[in-house]
Amino acid sequence: MSAEAGTARKLIAVCGKGGVGKTVLTAMLANILAQSGRAGRLLLIDADPAMGLPATLGVRVKRTMGQVREDIIRTARRSDPEKTASLVNTLDYMVLEALMESQNYAVLAMGRTETLGCYCPVNDLLRAAIASLSGSFDTILIDGEAGLEQLNRQVIRDIGLLIIVSDATSRGIETARIVKSLVTDEKVINCERLGLVYNRVQDNRKLLEDSARVVGLEVMGYVPLDSNIAHRDLMGQPITTLPADSPGLQAARQIAERFILRWHTG
């Protein structure tokens, strides 16, 4: 996603190894930002084909960007230049069709695609369309695909804040180290600030702090293992039903206040 001047500052992306709980953290941050009244118009982008964010928030999307992409590919395969040009001209409208708007935020889900093959020009069109749409929002929060692919493919190119989520495992921390290297050394994306959030933390904070120091990442917060969250994950209940005193939610609120709301409005 290519940002115009000043746009990158309002882009927050969450990434990490699969299974570390980044979607739940993204959902909690989304609700905190919406309820704060300080994030302005809020756009949530579920960039993970698994589409976990809408379900975690308790919302339904009728159309995904993956389905929009399929429409474009099907038309392009017919080799009809006039129809292809017509579809490209209506791309912005198709993106708006995929946008689910609620009172608190708008949600755009990337979704899955069924068509095989390389369609880089189509992906470029979609990237440009999303960038154009993001100009209508004050804050954009992105739940990234598990792993490193979206960074490598530069699906998102300019980020104000990159939150790397890890659990208390060497594999999660190693993924965080690779992400940091991609951003700071290989510079695959432009990023103003990045940091690490440990999720499902128990009595091992000192060891986790030492591990973060070794890989050279600032720790933005520790989200404790929370039975309230685990219960909702198991039952398929939205994270919006968490009690206000839930330890995980309180930790997410501190992260949002220190590293998003204060920085974003400063």
Side-chain angles (χ1 to χ4, degrees):
M1 183 182 301
S2 181
E4 297 176 358
T7 302
R9 183 171 173 81
K10 63 182 181 181
L11 264 167
I12 304 117
V14 182
C15 70
K17 183 181 75 67
V20 296
K22 63 182 183 55
T23 295
V24 170
L25 177 62
T26 304
M28 289 193 293
L29 291 175
N31 274 320
I32 291 163
L33 294 179
Q35 293 169 6
S36 73
R38 294 153 57 194
R41 290 203 70 206
L42 176 61
L43 171 64
L44 311 178
I45 298 179
D46 186 351
D48 192 332
M51 284 182 59
L53 186 60
T56 306
L57 289 166
V59 301
R60 291 179 178 271
V61 292
K62 296 180 179 179
R63 187 167 171 78
T64 69
M65 290 303 297
Q67 291 168 324
V68 170
R69 181 179 181 272
E70 293 294 327
D71 288 344
I72 296 173
I73 290 171
R74 278 193 294 269
T75 301
R77 280 184 167 175
R78 296 190 191 108
S79 299
D80 187 333
E82 291 185 4
K83 288 185 177 180
T84 302
S86 175
L87 191 58
V88 169
N89 290 335
T90 62
L91 184 60
D92 285 348
Y93 174 74
M94 296 170 73
V95 171
L96 289 174
E97 274 192 325
L99 196 68
M100 193 290 297
E101 295 199 63
S102 71
Q103 182 177 357
N104 297 321
Y105 41 68
V107 179
L108 187 68
M110 300 303 290
R112 295 182 179 274
T113 58
E114 299 176 0
T115 307
L116 299 177
C118 179
Y119 289 90
C120 296
V122 175
N123 287 331
D124 288 341
L125 285 172
L126 293 177
R127 186 183 294 118
I130 295 171
S132 174
L133 180 63
S134 70
S136 301
F137 292 86
D138 300 302
T139 304
I140 302 99
L141 177 62
I142 303 170
D143 182 20
E145 183 179 359
L148 308 170
E149 280 306 302
Q150 286 186 337
L151 286 175
N152 285 324
R153 293 197 305 264
Q154 295 182 313
V155 174
I156 306 163
R157 292 176 176 169
D158 298 274
I159 302 174
L161 177 64
L162 181 63
I163 300 174
I164 309 169
V165 184
S166 175
D167 51 12
T169 66
S170 60
R171 297 177 301 281
I173 296 168
E174 173 63 11
T175 299
R177 183 195 66 78
I178 296 172
V179 170
K180 176 182 180 292
S181 177
L182 286 172
V183 173
T184 61
D185 300 332
E186 300 183 35
K187 301 189 184 303
V188 296
I189 61 170
N190 299 317
C191 180
E192 290 186 19
R193 187 172 187 178
L194 74 163
L196 179 63
V197 170
Y198 281 116
N199 193 30
R200 305 189 193 110
V201 174
Q202 300 187 66
D203 298 326
N204 47 7
R205 286 183 57 158
K206 179 61 169 63
L207 181 59
L208 295 177
E209 183 180 346
D210 292 342
S211 297
R213 187 178 302 110
V214 169
V215 299
L217 278 168
E218 172 187 19
V219 179
M220 292 182 165
Y222 300 87
V223 180
L225 185 66
D226 188 335
S227 60
N228 295 311
I229 295 174
H231 176 76
R232 281 156 181 78
D233 262 347
L234 178 62
M235 302 302 294
Q237 297 174 345
I239 215 70
T240 51
T241 62
L242 278 173
D245 61 352
S246 174
L249 184 60
Q250 290 180 335
R253 188 173 290 114
Q254 291 177 359
I255 293 167
E257 183 61 44
R258 291 182 58 201
F259 296 100
I260 299 178
L261 290 169
R262 184 178 304 172
W263 164 79
H264 181 63
T265 58

